[in-house]
Amino acid sequence: MIGARYAALGVIGADGRLTEFVHGGMGADAITRIGHLPEGLGLLGALIDDPRPIRLTRLQDDLRSIGFPPGHPPMESFLGVPIRVRDSVFGNLYLCDGTRGRFGAEDEQLALALAAAAGGAIENARLYETAQSRQAWLRASGAIARELLSPDQGSPLDLVASHMRELAAADLVTIIRPSGDANLLRVDRAVGLEAEALLGVLIPAEATMAGTVMATGRPRVGSWPKERERLGRVPVVELDIDAVLAVPLTSHGRVTGVLTAARRAGRPPFTDEDLKMAAGFADQAAVAVELAQARAEQQLNALHDERDRIAAELHGEIVQRLYAESLSLQTTLGLAKSPFVAARLRESIAGLDDIIDHVQATVFRLDDVAPVRRVPLRDEVLRVLSGSSADAGAGSGHPLHGQAGHPPSGRGGPVRRRGAAARRRSRRGHGGGRGNQRSSAPAHGGRAV
């Protein structure tokens, strides 16, 4: 249309430099020799700083020209015009080496008309993309609420991070929360680039984007290279990222965390629209997480209540009745004249003790909902022996050989159940009357601790 041998369109980023550079006219060999694309310096930068048309017969004669990198094809005539979208400059159109001679005023007017048409097309495309993006964010906000409130929900924060990565077209998403130290924050969740290496990493709460968002509750958008420069030190994990946004996660009017998204270097930066939609999504996600946690707590409380009721029923009725029958048989054992009958009675008593142990084990399992501090097996055994000795009114001892670490269960359930059985036998053995004769017989077939 204009008759230029080379043409390019540069997109201006939030930092005032070129973030995208679409060009035509160069061969693949020339592109390889040049290496990286222009960043917006020299004449290209002059058009960014002062968005008015530039038309030159010989660009090397202009003081603003800084020359070409090695391997760049020679160029002489130059024509550059801004591409406007409403009142803002989206980018610039660059033309070099007119095939019909130097560029004239007519070529400049034609380039301006072409830039205006391109600006209108870009605006329409942006409006369509914005509408699509808003719909996607709104759908995700509703979807995450449904997922978090579903019976088979996963980790609420993991769901938030996964949705954020998809919606923001991010290469890395993290959720940063307080670490317990007022001066440090901790990466609590990470999805995407170097996620495993970032988990648990501590970052300063002061002079960082995440720390600022945590303190002020206001979303921010920025650049990782600038963030790293401000920190003034080498980060724990090297990241090939550039554009970054951070939005607060709030609960009851208080910032409880920061949701961040980042893109690899070379990808488009986040826009103000991206930041606005991400902040709205974070607010909806925080409410959904709060509701999910409240529902989970309510369900856990209901489960505790039901288990307490079942445990009380088992222990208050069944165990007491079985224990009464066992004591009755113990008394009958003292009246037995036949060794055969006495042996059968001992077997019945041992069987009842096993049933009591099983019921008590069920009660303990009903109680094992939340993890507790694990007690070393040696300490648990010594505690049981001490309790049994106190009930029996006499000391007991037994050498312990080998390693005695933590029991298989965090609560030491088997040891505790055996201890309960031992205390029952000791009480029966010292309950008075002829029942004392059982104290010389091995209980539970030698299963006593």
Side-chain angles (χ1 to χ4, degrees), residues 90-106:
F90 170 81
N92 297 313
L93 179 64
Y94 308 107
L95 303 168
C96 287
D97 284 4
T99 57
R100 298 189 295 267
R102 66 185 182 88
F103 296 113
E106 184 178 343

Side-chain angles (χ1 to χ4, degrees), residues 137 164 219 245 247-248 273-284:
W137 284 103
M164 181 68 171
L245 66 79
V247 293
E273 183 68 21
D274 292 329
L275 186 63
K276 180 180 178 181
M277 298 306 297
F281 170 77
D283 290 339
Q284 294 292 329

Side-chain angles (χ1 to χ4, degrees), residues 121-196:
I122 291 170
E123 181 181 9
N124 291 334
R126 276 185 166 181
L127 290 174
Y128 176 78
E129 183 180 354
T130 299
Q132 293 291 100
S133 177
R134 286 179 177 175
Q135 289 182 6
W137 284 103
L138 290 174
R139 284 195 301 268
S141 298
I144 197 169
R146 290 192 299 271
E147 290 179 23
L148 290 176
L149 296 176
S150 64
D152 55 346
Q153 63 159 330
S155 169
L157 294 180
D158 288 340
L159 288 174
V160 171
S162 298
H163 278 287
M164 181 68 171
R165 184 188 180 193
E166 179 182 354
L167 293 168
D171 297 297
L172 171 66
V173 170
T174 63
I175 295 179
I176 300 171
R177 306 182 75 187
S179 66
D181 186 336
N183 298 318
L184 295 173
L185 302 174
R186 186 185 76 254
V187 179
D188 193 63
R189 296 288 193 282
V191 178
L193 183 67
E194 299 291 346
E196 293 184 2

Side-chain angles (χ1 to χ4, degrees), residues 293-326:
Q293 291 175 342
R295 196 188 74 161
E297 185 177 352
Q298 184 180 18
Q299 291 177 339
L300 185 60
N301 290 336
L303 179 62
H304 276 299
D305 292 341
E306 180 65 14
R307 290 185 172 186
D308 287 344
R309 184 189 66 78
I310 295 173
E313 211 172 273
L314 286 173
H315 191 272
E317 296 183 13
I318 299 176
V319 172
Q320 294 299 328
R321 290 178 62 184
L322 289 173
Y323 189 57
E325 293 298 327
S326 179

Side-chain angles (χ1 to χ4, degrees), residues 43 56-66 75-76:
L43 279 173
L56 302 171
T57 302
R58 180 180 165 81
L59 59 86
Q60 291 85 351
D61 296 338
D62 194 284
L63 295 177
R64 295 168 293 184
S65 176
I66 59 174
M75 297 180 182
E76 288 195 6

Side-chain angles (χ1 to χ4, degrees), residues 30-56:
I31 296 173
T32 303
R33 289 195 304 270
I34 294 173
H36 66 84
L37 296 174
E39 299 176 356
L41 305 177
L43 279 173
L44 306 186
L47 191 56
I48 295 173
D49 297 334
D50 185 10
R52 290 183 295 177
I54 298 176
R55 179 162 48 93
L56 302 171

